[in-house]
Every structure is written in C-alpha cells, then in structure tokens.
Amino acid sequence: KEQVHLAKVEVESFIAAASEEMSKEAKADTLNLDRLHAARKSARIVEEQQNIRKIIHYKENALLLEDKVMSLQKEAAEEETGHVEALADSANRLRENSQRLIAELAVDGQLV
C-alpha cells in the first residue's frame, strides 16, 4: 500500500512538474507570438509611413510641375501680347504713314 501511495505521489508530482513546464512553455510561446504580431504591425506601420511620404513627395512634385506650367503659360501669353502690341504699333505706323501720304498727295494735287 505504501508503495502504491508513493508511486501515486510520484506520478502526481511528475504531472504537476510537467504541467508547470508546459504552462511556462505556453506563456513563452504566447509572448513570442505577441512579439511576432507586434513586429509585423510595426513593419506595416513603417511601410504605410513610407507610402505616405511617397505620396507627399509626388504631390509636391505635381505642384511644382503645375507652377512651372503656369509660369510657362504666363510667359507665352506675355510674349504673345508683346507680338500683338508690336503688330498693332506697326499697323498704327502704317495707317499714319498712309494718312500722311494721302495728305501730301492731296496737297500736291495728285490725289484723284
């Protein structure tokens, strides 16, 4: 009877020790899984931050290009305005010269 009791105590002690060991391993596994999930989440956050930085960079470049296009359009409009003004000045000089010539011909009596 004594041997059965000692064997039972030994088995219960072994089961308790094994349970405690398994509990420690389960806690360690859970901790490792938590760390793995945290690392993955951290990596996703870093990736999203990089994507946001890229988007901001692309938007900044788009705004710079838009400013450049507007500047070039303004330059083209100013140049076109300058050409139109030059043509208008030439037309005015031609009209003045024509009027002067007509007046001179009228004075000379050559205007019919």
Side-chain angles (χ1 to χ4, degrees):
K1 219 174 177 184
E2 178 78 22
Q3 286 182 334
V4 171
H5 177 70
L6 287 175
K8 187 178 178 183
V9 169
E10 190 176 324
V11 168
E12 287 176 359
S13 176
F14 176 76
I15 291 173
S19 293
E20 187 177 327
E21 185 65 29
M22 289 173 67
S23 177
K24 287 179 184 177
E25 288 176 7
K27 286 179 184 177
D29 289 347
T30 301
L31 182 60
N32 287 336
L33 282 175
D34 289 346
R35 287 180 181 157
L36 178 63
H37 289 303
R40 286 181 179 165
K41 187 173 185 177
S42 178
R44 283 194 304 270
I45 290 170
V46 168
E47 184 179 348
E48 283 300 314
Q49 288 173 337
Q50 289 172 342
N51 288 339
I52 290 169
R53 284 187 191 104
K54 286 178 186 177
I55 290 169
I56 290 170
H57 179 71
Y58 293 146
K59 285 186 177 184
E60 287 172 345
N61 284 342
L63 289 173
L64 290 172
L65 288 173
E66 188 176 319
D67 285 347
K68 183 67 174 174
V69 167
M70 290 176 65
S71 174
L72 290 172
Q73 288 174 336
K74 182 180 176 185
E75 286 179 28
E78 288 172 354
E79 188 174 317
E80 187 176 315
T81 299
H83 290 310
V84 168
E85 288 173 353
L87 288 172
D89 288 346
S90 293
N92 285 336
R93 281 194 301 277
L94 283 172
R95 185 176 50 251
E96 289 170 2
N97 289 340
S98 296
Q99 288 172 349
R100 206 173 304 123
L101 184 60
I102 290 170
E104 288 175 9
L105 290 173
V107 168
D108 290 343
Q110 296 177 4
L111 189 62
V112 178

